[in-house]
Amino acid sequence: MNPESKNKSLVSIIIFLLITNVVMLIFFIVLNKPVQRNMRGRDQNGMSGMLQKDVGFTRDQLDTYQILRKDQLDSIHILFDEVRKAKMNFYNLIYTPNVADSTLISAADEIAVRQKNLDLHMINHFKKVRNICSPDQVQKFDSSIKKIIARMVGKSGRNPNK
């Protein structure tokens, strides 16, 4: 292959790659606009959208839910921070030489207490939201909340049917 045809081939390949990159960029930026999501991958309407769409909440019910949600968010962040701090304290014991088993157990118990408080808070919140439902909405709520709880607790990986 002579140098002139080699250069033409390389220029053709470069132009092809440039066009491909521009098309991919346009696809990902312009054409592929998903629902606006927050950092955890949920849409901005989150549970209120589910309550309206799946359960059939009215405007008044949604307003009541928003009040509950605001109260819950104020306290839930504190509870998550407490769990996070307890876990950091526990795992920071790695750097302490000759840690007594009683110290490890005490730090692990602190995580359990904080997690228990968080879970009790969450179940009470879900019960309050369920109480907003009309009798004909309860079954729809129960069905939808099962999916949310399954996402909260995660999958075990061992048995995909659970």
Side-chain angles (χ1 to χ4, degrees):
M1 190 180 260
N2 63 29
E4 191 174 308
S5 67
K6 211 184 239 186
N7 284 343
K8 284 183 181 181
S9 297
L10 289 175
V11 169
S12 298
I13 291 171
I14 290 171
I15 291 172
F16 173 75
L17 290 174
L18 183 64
I19 291 170
T20 305
N21 284 337
V22 169
V23 169
M24 292 297 286
L25 187 64
I26 290 170
F27 175 75
F28 283 115
I29 292 175
V30 177
L31 300 177
N32 192 19
K33 287 207 179 221
V35 174
Q36 188 175 10
R37 297 184 183 279
N38 65 16
M39 287 177 43
R40 300 188 110 193
R42 293 176 289 200
D43 65 66
Q44 294 299 318
N45 292 330
M47 190 157 166
S48 63
M50 179 276 297
L51 290 170
Q52 186 175 22
K53 187 178 103 185
D54 297 345
V55 180
F57 265 29
T58 64
R59 173 62 25 214
D60 289 341
Q61 286 174 311
L62 285 172
D63 291 343
T64 304
Y65 166 73
Q66 289 301 336
I67 293 167
L68 286 176
R69 182 177 180 269
K70 185 190 177 316
D71 293 341
Q72 190 242 10
L73 284 177
D74 292 342
S75 58
I76 201 80
H77 289 299
I78 294 167
L79 294 171
F80 272 113
D81 286 343
E82 289 175 356
V83 171
R84 191 176 305 109
K85 286 176 188 173
K87 286 185 176 190
M88 287 303 295
N89 290 338
F90 175 75
Y91 286 108
N92 281 335
L93 292 173
I94 300 171
Y95 310 113
T96 307
N98 303 322
V99 177
D101 286 346
S102 62
T103 303
L104 289 172
I105 291 169
S106 176
D109 287 344
E110 185 64 27
I111 294 169
V113 167
R114 301 296 180 190
Q115 186 67 49
K116 175 182 164 184
N117 291 338
L118 175 63
D119 288 333
L120 287 170
H121 182 82
M122 290 301 297
I123 196 166
N124 287 328
H125 172 72
F126 289 141
K127 284 181 176 185
K128 289 176 185 175
V129 175
R130 189 175 191 264
N131 288 335
I132 299 172
C133 295
S134 66
D136 58 313
Q137 292 172 329
V138 171
Q139 187 177 6
K140 294 175 187 173
F141 175 81
D142 291 348
S143 174
S144 296
I145 201 70
K146 283 181 183 179
K147 297 172 191 169
I148 291 171
I149 292 170
R151 266 189 267 146
M152 282 175 44
V153 298
K155 295 181 181 177
S156 71
R158 290 186 184 169
N159 186 351
N161 295 327
K162 286 188 176 183

